[in-house]
Amino acid sequence: MTGSSQVPYLLRAARGEKLDRPPVWMMRQAGRYMKVYRDLRDKYPSFRDRSEIPELAIEISLQPFRAFQPDGVILFSDILTPLPGMGIPFDIIESRGPVIDPPIRSWDQVRQLRSLEPEESLPFIREILQTLRREVGNQATVLGFVGAPWTLAAYAIEGKSSKDYTVIKGMAFSEPAMLHEFLGKLADSIAAYVRYQIDSGAQVIQMFDSWAGQLTPQDYETFALPYQQRVVRQVKATHPDTPMILYISGSAGVLERMALSGVDIVSVDWTVDMAEARQRLGPNVGVQGNVDPCVLFGSQDFIRERILDTIRKAGNRGHILNLGHGILPKTPEENAAFFFETAKQIDQRLAVSS
Ligand code: CP3
């Protein structure tokens, strides 16, 4: 039993404490690679039901907690979940991904958007997070999450997942004022949503700007960074002690700029060496991530080697072990289990000195 005064590992690492081993969780740790999730999905085929009916979302969030005892339990939800509360309905269709119809492409649509009232449009989030905190106690840290304005705008404007982002970039490069108006509204609503998640029990918040790595560094500074900063600034004004993590896919070219967002921890993908990421980010920012999700398709010796390598390079302060992006649906479940077990058995003094 963990004593009631004990602060869980992930929260301690997020606050920059030196630890014997890094805390570990995985992006998308609840989901299709787990048989219990696939079975439940067969019974409840609607993603919106699975993520918005509290009993289901709580059960799914706890599936990996029960199976692997990760140090972080992330709320089962989606970055798109707050959009209907702003007047942007969505659905997630099996094998196609998110669909937003009609997509947001005109001034009229942008003007008509409502600002999010989280208590009113997302009452299930409070229930889910409160229950997760109760269930998890001090055994793990409960993570909330949101999408950042650029990435949410990309879905709302493209209407679906995109390979090249031609529609949103076309808007950025021909009608920037309209896109800025939209990004600003998203930022204010997302900040309100983050505060609501924290008030409901989230102890750490991860902001996903998954597709900001698609921007040139110059355009990142115009369309992504200022709106990440606007969210972080508003959240830190009322909740200065809640650590925030920023994740971007394909971020090696904008790593230093990610730290300018004001977050406490930068979550890096696998396109950068962890030691170089540390150097480039400096001592005041924590790091997370970096293990290629495909490592979990390798042998267990290889998985162990890569975990140790990442830990040696990240050092023993302000490091959260994670993958460089979400765990892939076809990942062998026993290798996910091995990843968690190995990470939790590591004594960092050995990992760092050997
Ligand atoms: O980490 C967790 O366990 C929490 C769950 C979570 C989901 N979505 C559940 C989900 C999280 C953190 C997200 C965030 C999210 N959603 C992101 C940012 C993270 C990233 O991957 O970059 C993005 C870009 C989305 C948008 C989204 N939702 C996409 C692109 C898809 C389809 C992906 C696919 O592989 O089909 C979704 C659907 C979705 N959200 C699934 C899950 C488990 C898969 C659908 C299902 O299980 O039925």
Coordinates of all heavy atoms in Angstrom, one line a residue, residues 25-32 37 41 47 50 74-80 92 94-98 145 151 155 161 208 210-211 247 249 325-326 329, ligand 1:
W25 N 4.3 5.7 -18.8 CA 2.9 5.5 -19.3 C 3.1 5.6 -20.8 O 4.2 5.8 -21.3 CB 1.9 6.6 -18.8 CG 2.1 8.0 -19.3 CD1 3.0 8.9 -18.9 CD2 1.2 8.6 -20.3 NE1 2.8 10.1 -19.6 CE2 1.8 10.0 -20.5 CE3 0.1 8.3 -21.1 CZ2 1.2 10.9 -21.3 CZ3 -0.4 9.2 -21.9 CH2 0.1 10.5 -22.1
M26 N 2.0 5.3 -21.5 CA 2.1 5.3 -23.0 C 0.9 6.1 -23.6 O -0.2 6.0 -23.1 CB 1.9 3.8 -23.5 CG 3.1 3.0 -23.4 SD 2.6 1.4 -24.2 CE 3.9 0.4 -23.6
M27 N 1.3 6.9 -24.6 CA 0.2 7.6 -25.3 C -0.7 6.5 -26.0 O -0.1 5.5 -26.5 CB 0.8 8.5 -26.3 CG 1.5 9.7 -25.7 SD 2.1 10.9 -27.0 CE 3.8 10.4 -27.0
R28 N -2.0 6.7 -25.9 CA -3.0 5.7 -26.4 C -2.9 4.4 -25.7 O -3.1 3.3 -26.3 CB -2.7 5.5 -27.9 CG -3.0 6.7 -28.8 CD -4.5 6.8 -29.1 NE -4.8 8.0 -29.9 CZ -5.1 8.0 -31.1 NH1 -5.1 6.9 -31.8 NH2 -5.3 9.2 -31.7
Q29 N -2.5 4.4 -24.4 CA -2.3 3.1 -23.7 C -3.6 2.4 -23.5 O -3.6 1.1 -23.3 CB -1.6 3.3 -22.4 CG -2.4 4.0 -21.3 CD -1.6 4.3 -20.0 OE1 -0.3 4.2 -20.1 NE2 -2.2 4.7 -19.0
A30 N -4.8 3.0 -23.6 CA -6.1 2.3 -23.7 C -6.4 2.2 -25.2 O -6.3 3.2 -25.9 CB -7.1 3.1 -23.0
G31 N -6.8 1.0 -25.6 CA -7.2 1.0 -27.0 C -7.0 -0.4 -27.7 O -6.9 -1.4 -27.0
R32 N -6.9 -0.3 -29.0 CA -7.1 -1.5 -29.8 C -6.1 -2.6 -29.7 O -6.4 -3.7 -30.0 CB -7.3 -1.1 -31.3 CG -8.6 -0.4 -31.6 CD -8.5 0.2 -32.9 NE -7.6 1.3 -32.9 CZ -7.5 2.2 -33.9 NH1 -8.1 2.0 -35.1 NH2 -6.6 3.2 -33.9
Y37 N -10.2 -4.3 -24.7 CA -10.8 -3.1 -25.3 C -11.6 -3.5 -26.6 O -12.7 -3.1 -26.8 CB -9.7 -2.1 -25.7 CG -10.2 -0.9 -26.5 CD1 -10.9 0.2 -25.8 CD2 -10.1 -0.8 -27.8 CE1 -11.4 1.3 -26.5 CE2 -10.6 0.3 -28.5 CZ -11.2 1.3 -27.8 OH -11.8 2.4 -28.5
R41 N -15.4 -2.8 -27.4 CA -15.7 -2.1 -28.6 C -16.8 -2.9 -29.5 O -17.6 -2.3 -30.1 CB -14.5 -1.8 -29.4 CG -14.7 -0.9 -30.6 CD -13.4 -0.8 -31.4 NE -13.0 -2.1 -31.9 CZ -12.0 -2.3 -32.7 NH1 -11.4 -1.3 -33.2 NH2 -11.6 -3.5 -33.1
F47 N -17.7 5.2 -31.0 CA -16.6 5.8 -30.2 C -17.1 6.9 -29.3 O -16.7 7.0 -28.2 CB -15.6 6.4 -31.2 CG -14.4 7.0 -30.4 CD1 -13.3 6.3 -30.0 CD2 -14.4 8.4 -30.0 CE1 -12.3 6.8 -29.3 CE2 -13.4 8.9 -29.3 CZ -12.3 8.1 -28.9
R50 N -18.4 5.3 -26.3 CA -17.3 4.7 -25.4 C -16.6 5.8 -24.6 O -16.1 5.6 -23.5 CB -16.3 3.9 -26.2 CG -16.9 2.6 -26.8 CD -15.8 1.7 -27.3 NE -14.9 2.2 -28.3 CZ -15.2 2.3 -29.6 NH1 -16.4 1.8 -30.1 NH2 -14.3 2.8 -30.5
I74 N -4.4 7.9 -18.2 CA -5.0 9.0 -19.0 C -6.5 8.7 -19.3 O -6.9 7.6 -19.5 CB -4.2 9.1 -20.4 CG1 -4.7 10.4 -21.1 CG2 -4.3 7.9 -21.2 CD1 -3.7 10.9 -22.2
L75 N -7.2 9.8 -19.2 CA -8.6 9.8 -19.4 C -8.9 9.2 -20.8 O -8.2 9.7 -21.8 CB -9.1 11.2 -19.3 CG -10.1 11.9 -20.1 CD1 -11.5 11.6 -19.5 CD2 -9.9 13.4 -20.1
F76 N -9.8 8.3 -21.0 CA -10.2 7.8 -22.3 C -11.1 8.8 -23.0 O -12.3 9.0 -22.5 CB -10.8 6.4 -22.3 CG -11.0 5.9 -23.7 CD1 -9.9 5.4 -24.5 CD2 -12.2 6.0 -24.3 CE1 -10.1 5.0 -25.8 CE2 -12.4 5.5 -25.6 CZ -11.4 5.1 -26.3
S77 N -10.7 9.5 -24.0 CA -11.5 10.6 -24.6 C -10.8 10.8 -26.0 O -10.1 10.0 -26.5 CB -11.4 11.8 -23.7 OG -12.2 12.8 -24.2
D78 N -11.1 12.0 -26.6 CA -10.4 12.3 -27.8 C -10.1 13.8 -27.8 O -10.8 14.6 -27.1 CB -11.2 11.9 -29.0 CG -10.3 11.8 -30.3 OD1 -9.7 10.8 -30.5 OD2 -10.2 12.8 -31.0
I79 N -9.2 14.2 -28.6 CA -8.9 15.7 -28.7 C -10.1 16.4 -29.3 O -10.3 17.6 -29.1 CB -7.6 16.0 -29.5 CG1 -7.7 15.5 -30.9 CG2 -6.4 15.6 -28.7 CD1 -6.5 16.0 -31.8
L80 N -11.0 15.7 -30.1 CA -12.1 16.3 -30.7 C -13.3 16.5 -29.8 O -14.3 17.2 -30.1 CB -12.5 15.5 -32.0 CG -11.4 15.3 -33.0 CD1 -11.9 14.4 -34.1 CD2 -10.9 16.6 -33.5
I92 N -16.3 9.5 -35.1 CA -15.1 8.8 -35.5 C -15.5 7.5 -36.0 O -16.2 6.7 -35.4 CB -14.2 8.6 -34.2 CG1 -13.6 10.0 -33.9 CG2 -13.0 7.6 -34.5 CD1 -12.7 10.0 -32.7
E94 N -14.8 3.8 -37.8 CA -13.8 2.7 -37.8 C -13.1 2.7 -39.1 O -13.8 2.7 -40.2 CB -14.6 1.4 -37.4 CG -13.7 0.2 -37.3 CD -12.7 0.3 -36.2 OE1 -13.0 1.0 -35.2 OE2 -11.6 -0.2 -36.3
S95 N -11.8 2.6 -39.1 CA -10.9 2.5 -40.2 C -10.9 3.8 -41.1 O -10.1 3.8 -42.0 CB -11.2 1.3 -41.1 OG -12.3 1.5 -41.9
R96 N -11.7 4.8 -40.8 CA -11.5 6.1 -41.5 C -11.0 7.2 -40.6 O -10.4 8.1 -41.1 CB -12.9 6.5 -42.1 CG -13.1 6.0 -43.5 CD -14.4 6.4 -44.1 NE -14.5 7.9 -44.2 CZ -15.7 8.5 -44.3 NH1 -16.8 7.9 -44.3 NH2 -15.7 9.8 -44.4
G97 N -11.3 7.0 -39.3 CA -10.9 8.1 -38.4 C -11.9 9.2 -38.2 O -13.1 9.0 -38.6
P98 N -11.5 10.4 -37.7 CA -12.4 11.4 -37.4 C -13.1 12.0 -38.7 O -12.5 12.1 -39.7 CB -11.6 12.5 -36.8 CG -10.3 11.8 -36.4 CD -10.1 10.7 -37.3
F145 N -6.1 15.6 -21.0 CA -5.4 16.1 -22.2 C -6.4 16.9 -23.1 O -7.6 16.8 -23.0 CB -4.8 14.9 -23.1 CG -5.9 14.0 -23.7 CD1 -6.3 14.3 -25.0 CD2 -6.5 12.9 -23.1 CE1 -7.3 13.5 -25.7 CE2 -7.4 12.1 -23.7 CZ -7.8 12.4 -25.0
T151 N -3.9 21.9 -34.3 CA -4.3 20.5 -34.7 C -5.8 20.4 -34.7 O -6.4 19.7 -35.6 CB -3.6 19.6 -33.7 OG1 -2.2 19.6 -34.0 CG2 -4.1 18.1 -33.9
Y155 N -8.3 19.5 -38.1 CA -9.4 18.5 -38.3 C -10.6 19.2 -38.7 O -11.4 18.8 -39.6 CB -9.6 17.7 -37.0 CG -8.7 16.6 -36.8 CD1 -7.6 16.6 -35.9 CD2 -8.7 15.5 -37.6 CE1 -6.7 15.6 -35.8 CE2 -7.8 14.4 -37.5 CZ -6.8 14.5 -36.6 OH -5.9 13.5 -36.5
S161 N -8.8 13.3 -41.2 CA -7.3 13.2 -41.2 C -6.8 13.6 -42.5 O -7.4 13.3 -43.5 CB -6.9 11.8 -40.8 OG -7.4 11.5 -39.5
F208 N -1.8 18.0 -27.1 CA -1.4 17.4 -28.3 C -1.5 18.4 -29.4 O -2.6 18.8 -29.8 CB -2.3 16.2 -28.7 CG -2.1 15.0 -27.8 CD1 -2.9 14.7 -26.7 CD2 -1.1 14.0 -28.1 CE1 -2.7 13.6 -26.0 CE2 -1.0 12.9 -27.4 CZ -1.8 12.6 -26.3
S210 N -0.4 17.5 -32.4 CA 0.2 16.4 -33.2 C 0.6 16.8 -34.6 O 1.7 16.4 -35.1 CB -0.8 15.3 -33.3 OG -1.2 14.8 -32.0
W211 N -0.1 17.7 -35.2 CA 0.2 18.0 -36.6 C 0.9 19.4 -36.8 O 1.0 19.8 -38.0 CB -1.0 17.9 -37.5 CG -1.8 16.7 -37.3 CD1 -3.2 16.6 -37.1 CD2 -1.3 15.3 -37.1 NE1 -3.6 15.3 -36.8 CE2 -2.5 14.5 -36.8 CE3 -0.1 14.7 -37.1 CZ2 -2.3 13.1 -36.6 CZ3 0.0 13.3 -36.9 CH2 -1.1 12.6 -36.6
Y247 N 3.1 17.7 -26.8 CA 3.5 16.7 -27.8 C 3.2 17.2 -29.2 O 2.2 17.7 -29.5 CB 2.7 15.4 -27.6 CG 3.1 14.4 -28.7 CD1 4.3 13.7 -28.6 CD2 2.3 14.3 -29.8 CE1 4.7 12.9 -29.7 CE2 2.6 13.4 -30.8 CZ 3.8 12.8 -30.8 OH 4.2 11.9 -31.8
S249 N 4.1 15.6 -33.3 CA 4.7 14.5 -34.1 C 5.6 15.2 -35.2 O 5.2 16.1 -35.8 CB 3.5 13.7 -34.7 OG 4.0 12.8 -35.6
H325 N 5.1 8.3 -30.0 CA 3.8 8.6 -30.4 C 2.9 7.5 -29.8 O 3.4 6.6 -29.1 CB 3.7 8.6 -32.0 CG 2.5 9.4 -32.5 ND1 2.4 9.8 -33.8 CD2 1.4 9.9 -31.8 CE1 1.2 10.5 -33.9 NE2 0.6 10.6 -32.8
G326 N 1.6 7.4 -30.2 CA 0.7 6.5 -29.6 C 1.1 5.0 -29.9 O 1.7 4.7 -31.0
P329 N -2.0 -0.1 -33.0 CA -3.1 -1.1 -32.7 C -2.6 -2.5 -32.8 O -3.2 -3.4 -32.2 CB -4.1 -0.7 -33.8 CG -3.9 0.7 -34.1 CD -2.4 0.9 -34.0
Ligands
CP3_1 O1 -3.9 7.9 -24.7 C1 -5.0 7.4 -24.4 O2 -5.1 6.2 -24.1 C2 -6.2 8.3 -24.4 C3 -7.0 8.1 -25.6 C4 -6.8 9.0 -26.8 C5 -7.6 8.8 -27.9 N1 -7.4 9.9 -28.8 C6 -8.5 7.7 -28.1 C7 -8.8 7.3 -29.5 C8 -6.0 10.1 -27.0 C9 -4.9 10.8 -26.1 C10 -6.4 10.7 -28.3 C11 -5.8 11.9 -28.8 C12 -5.9 12.1 -30.3 N2 -7.0 11.9 -31.1 C13 -4.9 12.7 -31.0 C14 -3.6 13.2 -30.5 C15 -2.7 12.0 -30.3 C16 -2.0 11.6 -31.6 O3 -2.1 10.4 -31.9 O4 -1.3 12.4 -32.2 C17 -5.3 12.8 -32.3 C18 -4.6 13.4 -33.5 C19 -6.7 12.3 -32.4 C20 -7.6 12.3 -33.5 C21 -8.0 10.9 -33.8 N3 -8.9 10.1 -33.0 C22 -7.6 10.1 -34.8 C23 -6.5 10.5 -35.9 C24 -8.2 8.8 -34.7 C25 -8.1 7.6 -35.6 C26 -6.8 7.0 -35.4 C27 -6.8 5.5 -35.8 O5 -5.8 4.9 -35.6 O6 -7.9 5.0 -36.3 C28 -9.0 8.9 -33.5 C29 -9.8 7.8 -33.0 C30 -9.4 7.3 -31.7 N4 -9.2 8.1 -30.6 C31 -9.1 6.0 -31.3 C32 -8.8 5.9 -30.0 C33 -8.5 4.7 -29.1 C34 -9.2 4.8 -32.3 C35 -10.6 4.4 -32.5 C36 -11.2 3.3 -31.7 O7 -10.5 2.7 -30.8 O8 -12.3 2.9 -31.9

